Amino acid sequence: MPALALPIVRTVADLRGQTALWRAAGQRIDLVPTMGALHQGHLSLIAKAREDADRIVASVFVNPTQFAPGEDFEAYPRDEARDAALLSGAGCDLLFAPTASEMYAPGFSTTVTVAGVSEPLDGQSRPTHFAGVATVVAKLLIQAAPDVAVFGEKDYQQLQVIKRLARDLDLPARIVGAPTMRAEDGLALSSRNAYLSPAEREIATSLNAVLLGLARALADGEAVAPAEAEALEALIAAGFDSVDYIEARNADDLSRLGPGPIGSAPTRVLAAVRLGKTRLIDNRAV
Ligand code: AMP
């Protein structure tokens, strides 16, 4: 039996109209923000939301302010009908798919910046990215006013930025992280994997393998600086065109670790690499 068509709202007023009814009925609302081009990773966030929510709202919005000039904003894959069918099948109750002008009215001039956790790693390679993310996520959390918002650990730094943002601005939503979904060969699922040629797709597998190797070396007590250097060499040897970073960081505040062993610090290893026209990120717990 085909799944029922998913209701779609495109304005903040309509989103608030629907969520207000649910809230008045005492229902718990979870929000799952996405940029669409949905895959099993996104659907795992819906499944996570299903564990506690009465109602699940997903948003699909390719947010222009988190792309820098020359990045893939125009090329980013978009297929709303397919996304809506997948969301409906996964048990989502409402899709919020606003236009850019609904989200950014003429004269829009407020930006949310999160210092500290936004600054290293992707903050160095993509200096305007996290301000765009923090601003749009702050808006979505205010618009939908969910009890819980679910984000993937795939974008580990983004998850830390959003946790900080919600805490600092007293946004009442609880921010929940969900584990990374991977292909059988270990490559983290990503909408951007669609850009990879078959040859690039094979090289891409090494990203997860090198991160796992680095995590293991650090867990075994190897010093951070040489372990990172070895991992960087392994990525270049695997065929990546360049490496923005591969580093061990404190898992809570993303502060630098090393140059010696990690000791008892909660640790995450994170990497960003470039392969042809594609930029891939991934991370692993130590
Ligand atoms: P995006 O559409 O890429 O902005 O991602 C929307 C949400 O899905 C973010 O919270 C991501 O971290 C999450 N996500 C993306 N890929 C995966 C994955 N492979 N596993 C789990 N969550 C993911």
Side-chain angles (χ1 to χ4, degrees):
M1 200 171 62
L4 289 177
L6 181 67
I8 302 179
V9 288
R10 301 194 186 279
T11 65
V12 176
D14 286 347
L15 172 66
R16 287 196 166 134
Q18 180 59 74
T19 51
L21 294 176
W22 289 335
R23 212 167 293 113
Q27 294 186 322
R28 220 181 134 106
I29 302 169
D30 275 26
L31 174 69
V32 180
T34 82
M35 296 205 300
L38 301 182
H39 50 65
Q40 289 302 319
H42 297 111
L43 300 184
S44 75
L45 305 187
I46 303 285
K48 177 90 183 165
R50 287 220 65 77
E51 290 173 9
D52 63 13
D54 298 307
R55 297 289 183 174
I56 301 172
V57 179
S59 61
V60 170
F61 180 60
V62 185
N63 174 36
T65 66
Q66 69 190 71
F67 292 79
E71 289 187 347
D72 57 345
F73 174 69
E74 278 84 18
Y76 201 84
R78 293 163 170 88
D79 187 345
E80 186 182 278
R82 179 178 172 278
D83 290 343
L86 287 171
L87 288 168
S88 180
C92 180
D93 295 289
L94 182 68
L95 170 57
F96 178 47
T99 59
S101 59
E102 177 71 8
M103 290 297 269
Y104 299 108
F108 187 91
S109 52
T110 302
T111 301
V112 180
T113 55
V114 179
V117 285
S118 285
E119 290 165 17
L121 308 170
D122 271 13
Q124 295 292 306
S125 326
R126 306 180 72 192
T128 59
H129 174 65
F130 284 124
V133 170
T135 303
V136 82
V137 171
K139 285 171 66 67
L140 289 166
L141 292 176
I142 292 166
Q143 291 162 347
D147 297 284
V148 171
V150 186
F151 296 86
E153 289 180 353
K154 158 75 167 50
D155 300 279
Y156 190 81
Q157 187 176 11
Q158 169 176 282
L159 175 60
Q160 305 314 311
V161 169
I162 291 165
K163 284 183 172 171
R164 186 80 256 166
L165 158 82
R167 226 176 291 154
D168 288 354
L169 296 185
D170 305 305
L171 299 174
R174 189 159 60 85
I175 307 301
V176 169
T180 302
M181 297 287 289
R182 297 176 182 279
E184 251 175 47
D185 64 1
L187 178 67
L189 300 182
S190 165
S191 308
R192 290 190 168 99
N193 293 351
Y195 301 152
L196 299 171
S197 70
E200 289 171 339
R201 176 66 186 75
E202 268 189 42
I203 294 169
T205 302
S206 304
L207 178 56
N208 169 59
V210 172
L211 280 166
L212 281 178
L214 174 57
R216 209 170 302 123
L218 296 174
D220 288 347
E222 207 177 299
V224 170
E228 286 177 345
E230 203 178 305
L232 172 61
E233 269 182 41
L235 288 175
I236 297 298
F240 292 104
D241 295 316
S242 64
V243 178
D244 284 356
Y245 59 82
I246 179 157
E247 290 182 15
R249 292 268 170 173
N250 181 295
D252 297 327
D253 61 12
L254 299 182
S255 60
R256 203 84 185 77
L257 296 174
I262 57 172
S264 60
T267 304
R268 200 91 188 174
V269 290
L270 307 98
V273 296
R274 295 181 193 259
L275 189 51
K277 60 180 166 56
T278 311
R279 184 174 185 276
L280 299 174
I281 60 171
D282 199 358
N283 65 88
R284 282 285 190 172
V286 176

